[in-house]
Amino acid sequence: MKIIKSIIFLSLITLVLWACSSVPISKKNIENEEPVVIANDSLEYGIIIIDPGFTYFLNAVAQPVGYYTQNYMEARNIAWVTTWNLRAQNPLQYNPNIYENTIDYQPNIDYGYEVNYKLFNYFLFAQQKYRMNLGGGFNNIRIN
């Protein structure tokens, strides 16, 4: 009886670990993914993100649209853009291949939900992919 309990227990542990394992991402799919465009046509504002893997992250990992409020994302975007821009302006101290450009994000402009959602998720993606912490007093241990 003890052996049967052990086998069942090990089977359950194996099943749980298998179920929690990450889904493999095909390099072919990442290499062929389209750039993500962050734009607000009424403000004539746009960002194009060509970082491989971001489209997958946005579609499979990120919380769905509507999960966060615009105010929540704006607060994080303001803090993360500030850190990002400081690093982009210091290419000798920070990797210029990651921080290629500064981001012109004005806290007094309403960019709308979609722009804030995609920018917010890009920062989550970049922090995870490049193992960086953009700070801002927010817990970056969790994905989002």
Side-chain angles (χ1 to χ4, degrees), residues 87-108:
R87 292 178 183 182
Q89 294 166 355
N90 291 299
L92 297 177
Q93 188 174 359
Y94 296 99
N95 187 343
N97 294 323
I98 295 173
Y99 306 99
E100 292 183 24
N101 300 303
T102 59
I103 300 170
D104 183 17
Y105 185 91
Q106 304 290 325
N108 57 337

Side-chain angles (χ1 to χ4, degrees), residues 72-135:
Y72 177 86
M73 292 183 297
E74 285 174 344
R76 275 120 190 100
N77 287 343
I78 290 167
W80 290 339
V81 162
T82 301
T83 302
W84 183 277
N85 287 344
L86 288 171
R87 292 178 183 182
Q89 294 166 355
N90 291 299
L92 297 177
Q93 188 174 359
Y94 296 99
N95 187 343
N97 294 323
I98 295 173
Y99 306 99
E100 292 183 24
N101 300 303
T102 59
I103 300 170
D104 183 17
Y105 185 91
Q106 304 290 325
N108 57 337
I109 296 176
D110 180 8
Y111 294 102
Y113 190 90
E114 185 179 0
V115 168
N116 279 289
Y117 175 79
K118 288 182 179 176
L119 183 59
F120 173 82
N121 278 293
Y122 178 71
F123 285 133
L124 291 175
F125 167 77
Q127 288 180 89
Q128 183 180 23
K129 180 177 180 179
Y130 300 113
R131 300 174 197 251
M132 68 168 112
N133 181 352
L134 292 174

